[in-house]
Amino acid sequence: MSTESTLPTYDELPVDPNAPPHTAWGLWGEDDNLGTLNLLTPDKVVKATSLVSRGDVFALNWKLENPNMGMLNRDACTHIIKPIHGDMVFDDVYDGFNTQASSQWDGLRHFCLSTSGQFYNNTSAEEIKDPKNGKIGVHHMARRGIVGRAVLLDFARWAEVNVPDYDAFTRYEITVEELDAVAAHQGVTFEEGDILLLRTGWTARYEVKKAEDTLPVLNAALGELPDSAGLKFSEDTFRWVWNHHFAAIASDNIGVEALPFINPYAGTCHSMFLSGWGMPLGEMFFLEALAEDCAKDGVYQFFFSSAPLNKFGGVASPPNALVIK
């Protein structure tokens, strides 16, 4: 748990007695649009800059062409190179571009709180569908930026020794005990406002299966999502994540939590993190080069920067994320 925090613990939530259980609605004000990103205060950003020592940059966006699996009707966009005035000038045109088809931030408009049907800070679906209403839109994240200290938990590398039969393409539930074991193995300590990066090995496994031409069918509807390792949906996970007071969580898998959902209408990590707390979730971040470097130098904390798309009322965005060591 983060030390010297003035924030309520998981068991002390909600702060508003009218809010759903264990939510953070109203914690940063009734009109708040940023949720846990409020934890990325200027002093934390300044402190994070001190982690830069080598100047090595790691880009965390995966190839825009991957995974191209049509999950939830998120087909890869068509790239058209448009000539202007003969062949003197060229533009890009992306047809069918879906902000969640590859590396992405799930914004606060993405997934409702299952128990209430409302989104973060009691936002309704009707408000989200109103094109003139920008409440909790991704533009709030974009205009603020996501900058601070990030820490990597390389579960996949730890599992090579401790879970020999582990496969990121199976529905493996990562427990809080395992997260603590990985942190202890790496010598990682957490601070309030950290951006947690979790490597499950999913993108690396995808690349291998794609090269071998052994990819399973990944097209799926909400209730038929493909098997994937990820965080366990449980009260223990909720308590562990909230009490560490992370600003955001990003993983290299397709859903942060283990998929498919047990019952998306009864509750998920997506539901609580996004709509309960206003915590952005990153999916399909490319963590391979960063994890390899961390394994060599033993440094798992670093400066992190992300600039989401500044689209009024947007639901999600490619992360445009960088780590600098």
Side-chain angles (χ1 to χ4, degrees), residues 22-44:
H22 300 296
T23 64
W25 293 5
L27 180 59
W28 291 286
E30 294 181 359
D31 297 325
D32 177 58
N33 291 291
L34 292 171
T36 53
L37 293 185
N38 283 290
L39 299 175
L40 295 174
T41 55
D43 62 309
K44 289 187 174 64

Side-chain angles (χ1 to χ4, degrees), residues 62 67 69 155-156 165-173 200-212 214-219 225-230 252-254 258-260 284:
W62 201 16
M69 60 186 182
F155 175 81
D165 59 348
Y166 172 74
D167 181 350
F169 266 56
T170 64
R171 192 185 187 284
Y172 183 93
E173 295 180 322
T200 67
W202 194 91
T203 58
R205 192 77 176 116
Y206 177 94
E207 298 273 14
V208 169
K209 284 184 171 291
K210 186 176 183 181
E212 295 175 344
T214 58
L215 275 173
V217 176
L218 296 174
N219 294 2
L225 293 169
D227 286 356
S228 169
D252 63 341
N253 64 1
I254 53 177
L259 294 180
M284 293 183 284

Side-chain angles (χ1 to χ4, degrees), residues 120-187:
Y120 176 65
N121 250 3
N122 205 27
T123 302
S124 69
E126 292 307 311
E127 288 176 292
I128 290 175
K129 290 187 288 185
D130 179 358
K132 296 181 180 179
N133 190 323
K135 188 176 180 183
I136 65 171
V138 77
H139 63 284
H140 295 287
M141 294 165 52
R143 295 172 189 179
R144 188 195 186 287
I146 303 174
V147 179
R149 177 185 188 257
V151 294
L152 172 69
L153 290 186
D154 192 347
F155 175 81
R157 197 174 302 271
W158 176 87
E160 289 175 4
V161 174
N162 296 279
V163 191
D165 59 348
Y166 172 74
D167 181 350
F169 266 56
T170 64
R171 192 185 187 284
Y172 183 93
E173 295 180 322
I174 301 172
T175 67
V176 297
E177 291 80 10
E178 288 174 319
L179 294 173
D180 282 333
V182 175
H185 174 72
Q186 296 176 177

Side-chain angles (χ1 to χ4, degrees), residues 191-206:
E191 299 178 4
E192 182 174 292
D194 278 347
I195 297 145
L196 176 63
L197 305 179
L198 174 64
R199 178 176 176 262
T200 67
W202 194 91
T203 58
R205 192 77 176 116
Y206 177 94

Side-chain angles (χ1 to χ4, degrees), residues 4 8 20-21 28 53 58 150 167 195-196 228 240 242 256 282 288 300:
E4 300 180 0
W28 291 286
S53 60
F58 299 86
D167 181 350
I195 297 145
L196 176 63
S228 169
W240 188 91
W242 175 263
V256 178
E288 293 308 299
Y300 291 87

Side-chain angles (χ1 to χ4, degrees), residues 2 26 51 64 74 122 132 154 157 178 190 274 276 287:
S2 302
L51 299 173
L64 196 56
R74 295 172 183 166
N122 205 27
K132 296 181 180 179
D154 192 347
R157 197 174 302 271
E178 288 174 319
F190 302 111
L274 290 168
L287 303 177

